[in-house]
Amino acid sequence: MDNKITKKRINDHLEYDWYKYLIILVAGIVLFYFLFSQINRTRDYEDITFFISCYEADDNGFSDRVKRDMASDDYKQNGQKKYGENVLRSLTLETQNPLDSNYITLLQTHGQISSDVLIVGKSILENAGPSYLELTDELLRDYLLPDGVPIEDLDYYAIEHDGRAYRMGIRVSDFSRLPFETDWRKIQSYKDKYGEMAEENQPDTEFYMVINRSSVNIGPFGKKSKDKNAQTLFAVNRFIKYYNREVPTEAV
């Protein structure tokens, strides 16, 4: 049998079977792209999202500051706080105006479902408070509060159940360094529009930071979270440290 490869045989073969090689080439590119995207995709525990309700916002580099702190020796050597490895790849701050017409829809989708931490008005908590993570003494003392900030120095939103008060949110609207405007009365257009309304019909001025119980980054406090993945709690710790009125300027 003559199996000699010649230029004529190659040309004849490609003339009839070229499409097979094209299919193989395209399939190889698609397979390579799929494998590459899977290897490099951001996993749930590598991403943290803050859903922030406010009337105005200022991008002050919160994400970069948190990542920088996570890469510092203080984070690596902080043995009493179990935040886990520095695997954070993305920290997103999504700001939404509570007075926008689509706010409730975004809160129910982007906020309640896909965010790790939310900042919401008091009126929202009055209806949805139990859906967030309870802020126990252990959680506050060992994870959320920066060194030197006692539990009693912050204000909380609490709900009563069976004769006991459950802390559900940390009041942040009175943090002096907060880069988000949570008082509509300081914005003239809103003051003109809502200022004459009865108080019970006016927009929120009290805003609280709450943690989504479904977050995969809240260590031993979440059903879907592993003990070693508590990076969300560190981000909340940094938020309080950066913006809480009790923290001296030189400390941040």
Side-chain angles (χ1 to χ4, degrees):
M1 179 181 292
D2 183 9
N3 291 324
K4 186 177 179 180
I5 298 175
T6 65
K7 184 176 181 181
K8 183 177 183 304
R9 285 181 174 177
I10 293 175
N11 289 335
D12 291 343
H13 179 73
L14 291 177
E15 182 178 355
Y16 294 101
D17 296 329
W18 63 268
Y19 66 92
K20 297 180 181 178
Y21 294 100
L22 180 60
I23 292 173
I24 293 173
L25 177 62
V26 172
I29 293 173
V30 171
L31 179 61
F32 176 80
Y33 177 80
F34 174 77
L35 292 176
F36 182 81
S37 64
Q38 290 299 306
I39 293 172
N40 288 277
R41 72 183 178 89
T42 299
R43 294 166 176 80
D44 290 343
Y45 59 85
E46 297 173 333
D47 172 73
I48 296 173
T49 300
F50 277 63
F51 181 93
I52 299 175
S53 307
C54 61
Y55 302 111
E56 284 184 350
D58 174 35
D59 181 7
N60 71 333
F62 175 75
S63 300
D64 292 337
R65 297 173 76 184
V66 172
K67 291 179 182 178
R68 186 168 61 246
D69 281 0
M70 291 187 79
S72 70
D73 289 339
D74 287 343
Y75 178 82
K76 296 175 183 177
Q77 298 173 2
N78 199 349
Q80 76 272 21
K81 293 187 175 72
K82 304 173 183 177
Y83 297 116
E85 296 297 322
N86 178 14
V87 296
L88 190 63
R89 299 179 64 179
S90 173
L91 199 166
T92 302
L93 270 65
E94 178 182 348
T95 57
Q96 297 293 344
N97 191 327
L99 299 177
D100 287 347
S101 58
N102 62 342
Y103 170 76
I104 295 298
T105 299
L106 292 172
L107 174 64
Q108 293 172 342
T109 54
H110 295 210
Q112 309 283 18
I113 295 177
S114 59
S115 296
D116 300 281
V117 180
L118 299 88
I119 293 178
V120 294
K122 183 178 180 181
S123 63
I124 299 296
L125 279 179
E126 288 174 344
N127 296 314
S131 64
Y132 303 117
L133 185 67
E134 181 190 358
L135 306 179
T136 63
D137 286 355
E138 177 191 4
L139 178 58
L140 289 165
R141 182 183 61 248
D142 296 341
Y143 291 88
L144 299 184
L145 298 183
D147 293 339
V149 179
I151 293 176
E152 59 271 14
D153 277 7
L154 297 181
D155 296 326
Y156 304 92
Y157 181 87
I159 59 174
E160 297 285 340
H161 183 68
D162 293 337
R164 185 168 85 85
Y166 295 82
R167 302 187 201 94
M168 306 307 298
I170 298 172
R171 182 170 176 173
V172 298
S173 49
D174 54 358
F175 282 12
S176 64
R177 296 180 178 85
L178 197 68
F180 316 107
E181 185 55 70
T182 58
D183 190 345
W184 57 270
R185 295 169 298 187
K186 294 182 180 180
I187 302 174
Q188 189 60 47
S189 59
Y190 292 153
K191 186 177 180 180
D192 294 340
K193 184 174 183 179
Y194 301 106
E196 299 301 322
M197 287 186 175
E199 185 175 348
E200 61 270 18
N201 296 325
Q202 291 177 346
D204 284 312
T205 56
E206 288 185 31
F207 285 80
Y208 295 82
M209 181 164 55
V210 296
I211 299 174
N212 191 336
R213 291 192 300 182
S214 298
S215 172
V216 297
N217 292 311
I218 53 178
F221 302 96
K223 293 181 179 180
K224 301 179 181 179
S225 179
K226 297 180 180 179
D227 289 0
K228 65 180 181 180
N229 292 325
Q231 294 82 7
T232 289
L233 304 183
F234 181 76
V236 172
N237 178 288
R238 296 296 91 178
F239 191 97
I240 297 172
K241 178 177 181 179
Y242 298 157
Y243 306 130
N244 180 23
R245 62 189 182 279
E246 282 83 7
V247 180
T249 303
E250 58 270 16
V252 298

